[in-house]
Every structure is written in structure tokens, then in C-alpha cells.
Amino acid sequence: MNALRSTVKLASRGLNQRVQKRHGSGAAAPEWTGVDKIIRDKFPEDWQVAGLILGGYATLITLVSLKPSKAKAEEPVVAAKPAETSGAMPSIDDAKFAEFIEN
């Protein structure tokens, strides 16, 4: 069993040496022009620009939601018709209700 382990260790060492290692070197920084240059001078990182854009939208939405809407014309209040009682029980406001309760 130990002979098998040592063989596997030796074989795996050779596999790891053949892998090409990349260290993540990036490309050159882009040349910004126009509005991008003005923004990138103050906020050089991408996450800063993303935060600036999201903050701008949040501010815009907040200001629009806080803005009062136009005053709506008041609709005339229509007096409600008294309900006609077609059943046997009169309305509470009706004078006949007291008679109904007593009977």
C-alpha cells in the first residue's frame, strides 16, 4: 500500500509542474476623454463610478417622489339617498323603528 502512495505522490508532482501559471497582469489603463475623464479623475475605480451612478438615480427618484402633485379639482359631494326599506324592518333613523322594536 505504501508503494502505491509513493507512486501516486511522484506522479502528481509531475502533473503540477506542467500547469502554466498566470499571475493576472492586466492591460494598460484606458485613456479617458470628455465627461468620463472628469469623473474618472475624481473616482478612478469602477466601483466608485457605479456607486456614483446608483446614488444619482436614488437621489433623482427620491426628489421626484417628494415633489407634490398637482392639486386636483374637488368633486362635488353628492348627498346619499336614504335607503328605501322594502323589507319588514324599518331603518334605525325612521320613526317607525320604535314601533317595530316594541312589537
Side-chain angles (χ1 to χ4, degrees):
M1 187 71 165
N2 286 334
L4 183 61
R5 282 187 192 161
S6 63
T7 306
V8 170
K9 281 184 182 179
L10 289 174
S12 66
R13 285 185 195 161
L15 291 175
N16 289 338
Q17 291 174 355
R18 293 184 199 147
V19 176
Q20 181 181 7
K21 294 182 181 180
R22 299 179 186 207
H23 297 289
S25 60
E31 295 286 331
W32 302 106
T33 58
V35 176
D36 289 333
K37 181 172 177 24
I38 295 170
I39 293 173
R40 291 291 181 156
D41 285 342
K42 295 180 182 175
F43 304 102
E45 300 293 325
D46 288 339
W47 63 270
Q48 292 171 329
V49 175
L52 182 68
I53 292 170
L54 289 173
Y57 277 118
T59 303
L60 182 66
I61 290 169
T62 303
L63 290 175
V64 168
S65 66
L66 292 176
K67 177 185 162 198
S69 60
K70 293 182 181 179
K72 296 180 180 178
E74 293 184 22
E75 297 179 12
V77 179
V78 179
K81 286 185 175 180
E84 296 180 18
T85 56
S86 60
M89 185 172 169
S91 173
I92 295 175
D93 297 330
D94 195 6
K96 296 178 185 177
F97 187 73
E99 296 174 12
F100 176 77
I101 294 285
E102 292 174 2
N103 292 332

